[in-house]
Amino acid sequence: MTIDEAVRRSHILHRALDRTPLNVASGSGISFTLNSGKEIIDAASGPSVACLGHNQPEVTKAILDHLNNNIAYAYSGSFFTNDASEELASLLLTHQPGGLSKAIFVNSGSEATDAALKLAVQYWHEKGEKKRTHFIARRQSYHGNTIGALCVSGHDSRREFYKDFMSSNVSFVDPCYAYRLKERNERDEQYAQRLAQQVEDEILRVGPEHVAGFIAETVSGTTLGCVPAVPGYFSKIRDICDKYGVLLILDEIMCGMGKTGTMHAWEQEAGFRGPDIQTIGKALGGGFVPLSGVLLHKKIFEALSNGSKVLVHGHTFQAHPLACAAAVAVQKIIKRDNLLENVKQQGVLMEQLLKDKIAPLPFVGDVRGRGLFWAVEFVRDRGKRVPFSPEDKFCETVVDKALELGLAILGNLGRTGEHYVDLAILSPPYIVRSDEIHRIVDLLAQAIESTSANFL
């Protein structure tokens, strides 16, 4: 691999060393403009972050108003709070969805995962069950890139260098990935029951008295590509967790905050009452200022209230006033402009176009998703569902071809586990119009067709 000269000259350690990063100069609507003057449609919102698109004047004004009229920074560890963080928490939790009643605001999704894991362990300490420190997660999952978050992430290539740091108190079960792991002639109900039994068997193997929580993405993100669970899966998992007193932690950092058409993706699971702990991020603040969070059920708060009366966790920039003020503006715009209805309507159109124009293409194995959170999985042999090899760089080429055409999409994150998943994710901003959906799908089709020509 040859090191790119621009990367060599830069004082930033860029994430890819073999190619010149494209310098983004400005943005407007769902597009941004490079220094070269080329306009790019941001069909992935970065990694599903920029839910209001780029250059939102109302959010900019809210940020400036806050800086001019309020405090830029207040340290939560010194017993201070601020109006912005209080207002954001109230916006999210006034109606206590699924019993979620309190929030912790942090910077990144990885931090939110770490906070959720620590909160779960503290909960069991407060309850007097100090042996409950084991977590069950799912293979080919992703919950963040800090060491704590990587410990519960079933992402082989991102864990590879850090195996010696990985915790021994985490074990893994299968994901709910019907396209590859559901058996032939197996009904959804049977598949969900088989996976729930796996979780129960793992709890029993470890010993229920040792298990703190089960963590899963409600709709899988970058490792599997926008995979919703089959109907009934999460209700069965909820029942198993309740049976053994295990906390259910749902990761909605990527798929939540409206991405699938409801504020929380779990709200679309029939008969499901919700998680005990939930992580949120990305679309929470729309990318204007870094922000993620942890939502916790009232029973978690009650355990702390009746016990130590402290949260044994904290960060310097926790509940950062400016970040929360930006997120308040984002969430108010989403509600005022009824943007979740647009997510639903444009999501129906995107599904139709993807299935009509993309699914029939030679190397497309599956199209899946909800709302404005969709993925295309590529395979070398569609009938046998044989994936491309990483060396083929099929997905990488599709992403590059799309960029040449003026379309930014999100590709896979390397080898994540037993099943190599070549994918492209589309997650445009909530403000996207129908004509823009048509344009996005047309450009994606061109990129796939151009790449496919080398493999036919």
Side-chain angles (χ1 to χ4, degrees), residues 37-74:
K38 184 173 182 177
E39 187 173 286
I40 306 292
I41 297 173
D42 188 6
S45 304
S48 296
V49 174
C51 61
L52 295 186
H54 304 284
N55 189 20
Q56 222 305 332
E58 288 185 66
V59 179
T60 302
K61 182 177 184 301
I63 290 171
L64 292 174
D65 286 348
H66 181 88
L67 288 173
N68 287 326
N69 303 307
N70 210 305
I71 189 76
Y73 170 72

Side-chain angles (χ1 to χ4, degrees), residues 264-329:
H264 307 295
W266 58 259
E267 292 177 298
Q268 297 173 42
E269 305 297 327
F272 178 68
R273 68 172 173 81
D276 300 305
I277 299 174
Q278 178 181 337
T279 54
I280 57 175
K282 298 189 186 292
L284 170 63
F288 295 97
V289 182
L291 186 69
S292 290
V294 180
L295 308 180
L296 52 135
H297 193 276
K298 55 189 175 184
K299 77 175 186 180
I300 308 292
F301 174 70
E302 288 166 1
L304 272 62
S305 299
N306 296 327
S308 66
K309 298 177 175 57
V310 295
L311 170 63
V312 189
H313 176 78
H315 288 284
T316 300
F317 297 112
Q318 190 164 315
H320 192 282
L322 185 63
C324 290
V328 166

Side-chain angles (χ1 to χ4, degrees), residues 117 135 137 144 146-154 159 162 165-172:
L117 299 177
F135 289 92
T146 56
I147 293 298
L150 268 182
C151 285
V152 293
S153 295
R159 288 166 58 98
Y162 314 107
F165 294 93
M166 296 295 99
S167 176
S168 60
N169 65 325
V170 179
S171 55
F172 294 88

